[in-house]
Amino acid sequence: LGFKEKWLKYIGKANKIREKILSLYKNTDGSFADRSQTSFVFAIYFDLCDDIESSLNELIDLIKKEQNVITCGIFGQSFAYEIFHRYGHNELILEWLRVEAGFKKMLKNDASTLKEFFGDNLNGSNNHAMFSSYSSWLFQALGGITVAEEAVGADVILISPSFTDTINFVDCWHQTIRGRIECRWRRYKKGIELVIKVPFNLKKCTLKLPKVYQLNKQLPAPIDCDTYHHFYDITDAGEIKVLL
């Protein structure tokens, strides 16, 4: 945008804040603060860790010790959904959403709204949205539909569904100002059938799929890849139906 001077100014300020956080909260063993779930989530999310994989494993161990209960507050939970999706641990989120001590308990006795707090909620609201950030995870992880950060008016889309072992089908759609984006997948004995529909007025639409799935020329050659995924340009595809 031509604001290089301001960019350099605020990058400098951000680096100073980062250094201050590290000096105040980073422990000698590489962990942070009280070594709670929240401390690991914040450190991973803001890229403060020396070793992301090690910190992620420690966080997962903490959650497992709590019988798959995520004890973070509203911001920590929101970040946790993004972290586990980013690093391929979506099954852990499903386990958390299913535990009796979590949302099931919050919504018992036919409650139809989320509460402000888990537990007794004596001093909290009975109609509160602050723990509802799992809803975006449902769209982005299971449904695989993400509006890219660089998008303007939802014109850049990433499709990256997570085919978690304990889910047999997902039907997901997102209505944008560019049109309706759909991603549906279902398990059959012969494999996973994936159906994607996108409008033709997108600037860019990329499909990201794990390399373990053989497409047998059902799609054009990938435009890029990383260690575990292939990336396909489906901007002008309209509708795609493949068997994985």
Side-chain angles (χ1 to χ4, degrees), residues 70-87:
I70 296 179
T71 59
C72 304
I74 53 171
F75 298 111
Q77 279 202 25
S78 176
F79 295 162
Y81 297 135
E82 292 190 43
I83 287 169
F84 290 128
H85 177 41
R86 183 189 310 160
Y87 294 106

Side-chain angles (χ1 to χ4, degrees), residues 174-218:
H174 178 46
Q175 186 69 41
T176 75
I177 62 171
R178 304 279 172 177
R180 178 166 163 143
I181 298 165
E182 299 182 25
C183 182
R184 308 193 308 271
W185 58 268
R186 186 175 297 268
R187 293 185 186 277
Y188 294 98
K189 290 182 179 180
K190 58 185 178 181
I192 299 173
E193 183 183 78
L194 173 65
V195 179
I196 298 168
K197 295 181 181 180
V198 296
F200 286 101
N201 57 357
L202 298 177
K203 180 180 179 181
K204 183 179 181 181
C205 186
T206 304
L207 172 61
K208 176 183 175 183
L209 290 175
K211 287 182 177 179
V212 295
Y213 296 110
Q214 302 298 318
L215 293 175
N216 298 321
K217 298 182 179 180
Q218 296 179 84

